[in-house]
């Protein structure tokens, strides 16, 4: 992993924006291009000191009453913005008053960008539209 990370940094890739601090609980919604084993996600995870965990797709469906941070010591949870369960994760973040941050990739600029966090409210469809709108800028 360190060889890939060093190579990416040497090629000019950088992380920008207010990434969450280590001990802050946050839900990170990832744009397309930030899949679990992609090079850009390696940069993001390194920037977060590998302190996050990827949320499995079946977790919400199997345990509808599960709280967002009952899954261990990880403070940051990663979920894909294209996930069909994103609305359910946003609802759980709203119930637990957990901040949400969007992370996108600007391939032409070689940047992984993190937006300022927001606290989701009771209008999940509005937050989902915001997520889709922010991610459409980098298509």
């Amino acid at each position: 992993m360190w060889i890939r990370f060093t190579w990416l940094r040497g090629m000019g890739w950088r992380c920008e924006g207010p990434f969450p601090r280590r001990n802050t609980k946050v839900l990170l919604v990832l744009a397309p291009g930030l899949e679990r084993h992609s090079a850009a996600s390696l940069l993001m995870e390194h920037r977060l000191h590998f302190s996050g965990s990827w949320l499995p797709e079946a977790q919400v469906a199997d345990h509808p009453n599960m709280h967002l941070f009952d899954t261990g010591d990880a403070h940051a949870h990663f979920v894909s913005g294209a996930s069909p369960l994103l609305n359910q994760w946003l609802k759980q973040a709203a119930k637990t008053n957990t901040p949400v941050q969007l992370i996108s990739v600007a391939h032409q600029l070689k940047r992984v960008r993190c937006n300022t966090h927001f606290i989701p409210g009771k209008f999940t469809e509005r937050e989902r539209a915001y997520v889709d709108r922010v991610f459409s800028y980098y298509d």
Side-chain angles (χ1 to χ4, degrees):
M1 277 188 345
W2 284 104
I3 293 171
R4 279 180 69 190
F5 172 75
T6 306
W7 181 77
L8 287 168
R9 294 289 298 220
M11 295 298 293
W13 280 87
R14 301 285 183 260
C15 291
E16 295 179 340
F19 277 81
R21 288 184 292 234
R22 238 187 210 178
N23 296 329
T24 304
K25 293 186 178 188
V26 64
L27 176 64
L28 297 168
V29 181
L30 309 176
L34 284 170
E35 285 77 32
R36 177 170 260 172
H37 299 292
S38 69
S41 67
L42 175 66
L43 278 173
M44 175 209 53
E45 289 187 76
H46 181 270
R47 175 68 175 79
L48 294 168
H49 308 287
F50 299 100
S51 64
S53 66
W54 292 82
L55 294 173
E57 291 295 319
Q59 201 165 10
V60 175
D62 294 343
H63 307 287
N65 296 325
M66 187 199 78
H67 292 289
L68 193 59
F69 291 101
D70 284 349
T71 57
D73 294 334
H75 296 290
H77 292 288
F78 311 123
V79 65
S80 171
S83 171
L85 300 174
L86 181 59
N87 287 354
Q88 292 179 14
W89 286 119
L90 289 172
K91 283 180 187 175
Q92 285 194 13
K95 284 181 188 174
T96 59
N97 207 21
T98 302
V100 175
Q101 284 187 266
L102 308 179
I103 299 182
S104 54
V105 180
H107 291 284
Q108 58 275 44
L109 301 173
K110 295 183 179 179
R111 298 291 185 259
V112 176
R113 293 185 169 157
C114 186
N115 289 5
T116 304
H117 75 275
F118 67 93
I119 305 292
K122 60 183 177 178
F123 301 107
T124 307
E125 295 80 23
R126 183 175 58 189
E127 273 90 18
R128 181 62 190 250
Y130 172 70
V131 168
D132 293 339
R133 188 171 56 248
V134 169
F135 290 158
S136 72
Y137 294 143
Y138 300 104
D139 285 344

